[in-house]
């Protein structure tokens, strides 16, 4: 089974930065061939923010140029570096993984518990 645990969320002022981490464990490597970060704000549908596969990374237009997704293979950890944060980035952020490439579509089979990111003006 795939276990994903996010950390690094918190409150930050607009223009600030946060780095989210997702520790993955309890799975064969193939189950995390495709990973991503999704977020859900109150009253909105869950949306894909960033995705990573061995040969490419993808970002939602709303965060492109501000967020970076990366993986530390040795540590089995996924990261989301968020810079120039805006109030509209406020949401619960979820780490996700699957054997299938879902990209920015929030249809992954394995999810973390989420970590809250709040950006104030």
């Amino acid at each position: 089974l795939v276990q994903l645990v996010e950390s690094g969320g918190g409150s930050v002022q607009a223009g600030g930065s946060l780095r989210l981490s997702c520790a993955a464990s309890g799975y064969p490597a193939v189950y995390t061939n495709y990973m991503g970060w999704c977020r859900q704000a109150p009253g909105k549908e869950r949306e894909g923010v960033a995705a990573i596969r061995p040969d490419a990374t993808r970002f939602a237009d709303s965060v492109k140029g501000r967020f970076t997704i990366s993986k530390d293979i040795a540590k089995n950890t996924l990261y989301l570096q968020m810079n120039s944060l805006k109030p509209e980035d406020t949401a619960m952020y979820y780490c996700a993984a699957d054997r299938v490439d879902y990209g920015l579509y929030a249809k992954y089979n394995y999810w973390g518990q989420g970590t809250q990111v709040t950006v104030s003006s």
Side-chain angles (χ1 to χ4, degrees), residues 39 48-50 57-69 80-84 86 89 104:
R39 67 186 182 186
V49 174
T57 57
R58 289 150 290 173
F59 300 92
D61 289 341
S62 60
V63 307
K64 194 172 299 181
R66 299 188 296 118
F67 290 11
T68 300
I69 187 171
L80 182 67
Q81 178 66 46
M82 305 185 295
N83 298 323
S84 301
K86 304 175 180 179
D89 293 319
L104 298 178

Side-chain angles (χ1 to χ4, degrees), residues 25 31 45 53 70 74-75 118:
S25 63
Y31 283 87
E45 295 183 352
R53 66 186 190 187
S70 62
K75 296 182 180 296
T118 301

Side-chain angles (χ1 to χ4, degrees), residues 38-39 45-48 96 102-109 111:
C38 301
R39 67 186 182 186
E45 295 183 352
R46 186 173 298 179
E47 63 175 344
Y102 285 110
L104 298 178
Y105 296 95
K107 297 184 180 295
Y108 295 86
N109 285 320
W111 297 86

